[in-house]
Amino acid sequence: MTPASTASSRDRREPGEVFGPSFSLFADVLLVGLLTTAACLPVVTAPAAFAAASVTLRQTADQGLPVRAGTFIGHLRAHLTTRVLAAGCVPPLLALVLLIDAALLRSSLPGAAVMSPVLALLTLGAMVVGLRATALKAPCRLSAREGLLRSVADPRGALLLAGAVLLSVVLAWSIPLLTPLLPGPLAFAATVVELRSPAD
């Protein structure tokens, strides 16, 4: 196939597709963001929700299928196991510990100036490893150990994912109305970083 025919096939629009494939991907990511936010509301289901988002987006990239709510819900049900729900208790506990540590650092304890950036970097690293773990393929999916190993083996991907996390935090702080949509781009970033990872 020549490059010209490849480019024309990418630009070709399906029946009823008004804005082209790039806009369809944008809409798919936003839909996944809303579905992931809704699935994260019970809190302990957050790892399963992000894993379902990653599988859905990976399926869209591999097969060119549009995102459907039913597809996402099917993947979510497949991930809602006892082990995953138990793992879902870890992020709230870590958040509670971080809040307590942040409160202690604000109380003018010795070494607070040094520990504040360290705590921020640890939080960012934990978020990167957690997102990386949700984007892994089976049977390694939702393995924090495998997510850490792959983050260390692919520092460029880890930095890209850290940038996505920081950008999401800035957007949530500056435009709170965008918060329900942000899990979609985060899951998309984690999936893309995993797809391009040299560890594959």
Side-chain angles (χ1 to χ4, degrees):
M1 182 180 289
T2 63
S5 60
T6 303
S8 63
S9 64
R10 288 177 181 171
D11 295 334
R12 188 174 61 246
R13 297 178 184 176
E14 298 295 329
E17 191 174 20
V18 179
F19 297 105
S22 297
F23 193 85
S24 295
L25 177 61
F26 175 71
D28 287 343
V29 171
L30 293 185
L31 176 59
V32 167
L34 290 174
L35 293 172
T36 306
T37 299
C40 286
L41 290 179
V43 180
V44 293
T45 58
F50 274 91
S54 178
V55 174
T56 304
L57 290 170
R58 190 188 292 267
Q59 184 178 9
T60 299
D62 291 343
Q63 304 175 13
L65 300 175
V67 171
R68 306 282 185 200
T71 305
F72 176 88
I73 292 172
H75 292 312
L76 179 64
R77 286 176 178 170
H79 287 90
L80 286 176
T81 62
T82 304
R83 184 182 71 85
V84 174
L85 290 176
C89 297
V90 175
L93 292 176
L94 287 177
L96 179 62
V97 171
L98 288 172
L99 288 175
I100 294 173
D101 288 344
L104 291 174
L105 290 176
R106 286 196 299 268
S107 61
S108 300
L109 288 175
V114 176
M115 289 305 298
S116 295
V118 171
L119 185 61
L121 287 175
L122 287 175
T123 304
L124 180 61
M127 294 179 73
V128 168
V129 171
L131 284 172
R132 195 71 184 260
T134 62
L136 294 172
K137 286 184 177 180
C140 297
R141 183 169 291 120
L142 295 173
S143 169
R145 178 179 177 276
E146 188 66 23
L148 176 61
L149 291 176
R150 292 176 78 89
S151 297
V152 173
D154 180 24
R156 184 177 298 178
L159 287 175
L160 289 172
L161 201 48
V165 171
L166 290 175
L167 181 60
S168 297
V169 170
V170 171
L171 287 174
W173 172 75
S174 59
I175 313 174
L177 288 176
L178 292 180
T179 303
L181 301 175
L182 294 179
L186 280 176
F188 180 75
T191 304
V192 170
V193 165
E194 184 60 25
L195 287 174
R196 63 162 289 282
S197 171
D200 288 333

